[in-house]
Amino acid sequence: MASVAAAAATALVAGCATGSGGSTSGADGTLTLWTHNAGNSAELDVVKKIIKEFNGSQSKYKVKLQAFPQSDYNNSVVAAASARKLPCLLDVDGPNVPNWAWGGYLSPIDVSGSQVPLSDQLPSTVGRYKNKVYGFGFYDVALAFFARKSVLDTYGIRVPTMDKPWTKDEFDSALAKLKKGGKFEYPLEMGTGGSGEWWPYAYSPQLESFGGDLIDRDGYKTASGTLDGKDSLAWASWFRSLVTKGYIAKKSGADPNKDFLAGKSAIQWDGSWNAAKNADKFGDDLAIIPPVDFGDGPKIGGASWQWAMSSTCSNKAGAQAWLKFSRQTKYFVDYAKATGTLPGTDAAAKQVEGYQPGGKFNGLVQYARKYAVVRPVTPAYPYISTEFQKAAQDILAGADPKNALGQAAKDIDNNLKTNNNYAG
């Protein structure tokens, strides 16, 4: 959802936070739950509803809510983990699950026997590390290109489909036509004014479609030769060319979706969280377009916020009882309707207007199911994210791609070496 674009991927864990002792959360049957949703009343209301109905369904456990602003949330978790005072239940941004699991913050969870089996969920909504499940989410988001069919038709540009997405050459040709037409200063809106986790979420799938990656996923022991390999360099050169050819702004405005709605750009690379707003504005003229196949298949990022159980919870049975209770189709539906996100299961999608099979937004669900690539499943990910953001921003600003990606790969490898490849 939109929070993905704003979330900062800071290095969350300095080292493994294991050891004895811990929080007494849950000892008397009261289970404290932390969420990042203090500033998001729509999603927070769903959390409150689940808590109220769980507390009313039995008398053995009572869940107590504590909500934080998203900007303060990760730091609060890190501080509590260091003091061994984490709550029993907490939410975690999907890409950070491996880091928090490795750091000793989280315990594996067992939600077998709940109404919704994990196997029914979009794969990107289940947080795994070392073959164990540490979290699950009720929704995901998907990136797509948005355009107006009438605009594409005016310039003789084909509206692509999942069966036949744009190729790199076709996409480049479309941008050239739009630029030459003179109506759009920047025909493509890529959200380059975003920050933090938006950068790897939005752009590393394009790098991966070129055949590159943020790290060698075979063991997660080195980025050298992958992040700075020929395929990644090909992506970087293309990415930079979008600026030099005048196709995108080096830094987008404060609200790129507003600019797209105002007709300032012809094509926007944006999230499913703005799909309904775009449809309200353009109706049947809106084209929701799959990602470009740059050679290694269309790809988008996967994983959003998920629920987990802390390692220091003294009442893991109670925590898992809440997690199991929450796994009802009606709550998957509630989350999707409240947040404008993609329902985490097909059963829920059938109950959300527009996302049901044949619905105008169902393609976004299919993108999440077929194109989503989770960010590297390694505790090093927060560091990788920061390094990629810096390198990509430098490349758009004119830095040599080989030097920028080479330095990022070298810094990531040093981080891996310093942390013994995050073994343990």
Side-chain angles (χ1 to χ4, degrees):
M1 57 189 303
S3 63
V4 176
T10 53
L12 299 175
V13 183
C16 286
T18 54
S20 59
S23 165
T24 58
S25 177
D28 62 352
T30 299
L31 307 161
T32 302
L33 176 150
W34 282 10
T35 178
H36 72 287
N37 279 309
N40 183 353
S41 59
E43 187 167 347
L44 187 61
D45 283 347
V46 180
V47 179
K48 289 178 177 177
K49 177 182 177 181
I50 298 172
I51 290 173
K52 181 179 180 180
E53 294 184 0
F54 172 75
N55 288 346
S57 71
Q58 44 73 53
S59 57
K60 192 173 183 181
Y61 311 114
K62 183 179 180 182
V63 172
K64 185 173 69 174
L65 172 70
Q66 187 170 354
F68 295 78
Q70 185 174 326
S71 58
D72 299 334
Y73 184 71
N74 284 347
N75 289 336
S76 298
V77 171
V78 172
S82 299
R84 310 292 289 166
K85 291 183 178 178
L86 282 171
C88 267
L89 295 158
L90 66 164
D91 56 7
V92 50
D93 202 1
N96 293 332
V97 167
N99 184 277
W100 289 14
W102 167 81
Y105 295 14
L106 309 177
S107 278
I109 59 173
D110 176 10
V111 291
S112 58
S114 51
Q115 185 188 97
V116 177
L118 288 170
S119 58
D120 283 2
Q121 293 195 218
L122 291 171
S124 57
T125 63
V126 181
R128 290 184 169 90
Y129 178 58
K130 290 191 171 181
N131 298 316
K132 294 180 179 178
V133 175
Y134 283 89
F136 66 85
F138 290 88
Y139 55 79
D140 205 351
V141 288
L143 284 171
F145 287 107
F146 294 95
R148 294 176 67 178
K149 296 172 187 175
S150 58
V151 171
L152 298 182
D153 184 60
T154 297
Y155 291 87
I157 299 168
R158 178 181 69 88
V159 178
T161 63
M162 289 187 74
D163 290 336
K164 193 179 179 184
W166 277 329
T167 63
K168 176 183 179 297
D169 289 346
E170 196 175 6
F171 187 46
D172 288 344
S173 173
L175 295 175
K177 289 177 182 178
L178 290 163
K179 180 68 177 179
K180 187 178 179 181
K183 181 179 180 181
F184 305 100
E185 181 182 4
Y186 299 113
L188 176 62
E189 174 55 70
M190 288 272 278
T192 51
S195 62
E197 187 58 19
W198 169 250
W199 283 73
Y201 177 71
Y203 311 130
S204 67
Q206 295 175 341
L207 176 151
E208 290 157 2
S209 183
F210 269 84
D213 209 336
L214 297 172
I215 189 173
D216 183 348
R217 299 197 188 214
D218 183 10
Y220 296 101
K221 294 181 178 179
T222 182
S224 295
T226 300
L227 180 55
D228 58 353
K230 64 179 179 63
D231 293 330
S232 297
L233 291 174
W235 162 80
S237 296
W238 171 82
F239 192 51
R240 171 61 185 165
S241 78
L242 296 176
V243 172
T244 57
K245 292 178 179 178
Y247 295 162
I248 67 169
K250 189 185 300 183
K251 186 175 182 179
S252 301
D255 188 348
N257 186 242
K258 186 176 180 180
D259 288 345
F260 172 67
L261 292 173
K264 292 184 179 180
S265 51
I267 303 172
Q268 184 185 15
W269 182 235
D270 196 8
S272 52
W273 51 84
N274 277 325
K277 188 187 299 184
N278 292 343
D280 287 344
K281 172 75 173 182
F282 298 125
D284 291 340
D285 194 30
L286 179 69
I288 301 177
I289 296 170
V292 175
D293 182 352
F294 289 104
D296 200 33
K299 300 184 191 301
I300 60 173
S304 191
W305 287 87
Q306 301 177 0
W307 287 101
M309 176 176 68
S310 74
S311 59
T312 51
C313 176
S314 60
N315 194 336
K316 290 185 170 63
Q320 292 188 131
W322 184 83
L323 292 169
K324 288 183 181 181
F325 178 87
S326 73
R327 296 182 53 75
Q328 299 182 49
T329 297
K330 65 179 182 179
Y331 297 136
F332 281 81
V333 172
D334 288 343
Y335 270 108
K337 287 183 175 179
T339 60
T341 50
L342 308 182
T345 69
D346 288 342
K350 292 176 181 176
Q351 299 181 42
V352 181
E353 181 61 32
Y355 292 91
Q356 74 275 28
K360 57 187 174 183
F361 304 130
N362 186 259
L364 293 163
V365 179
Q366 300 311 311
Y367 298 173
R369 187 170 289 283
K370 296 183 180 180
Y371 299 148
V373 178
V374 296
R375 280 149 280 184
V377 186
T378 167
Y381 178 73
Y383 187 85
I384 293 170
S385 170
T386 302
E387 289 302 306
F388 177 77
Q389 178 189 348
K390 181 178 182 299
Q393 289 176 327
D394 287 348
I395 289 165
L396 282 193
D400 177 69
K402 189 173 182 180
N403 290 340
L405 292 180
Q407 187 61 54
K410 188 182 299 182
D411 290 343
I412 291 166
D413 282 3
N414 285 338
N415 176 269
L416 291 165
K417 185 177 180 181
T418 300
N419 288 284
N420 191 29
N421 290 321
Y422 293 88

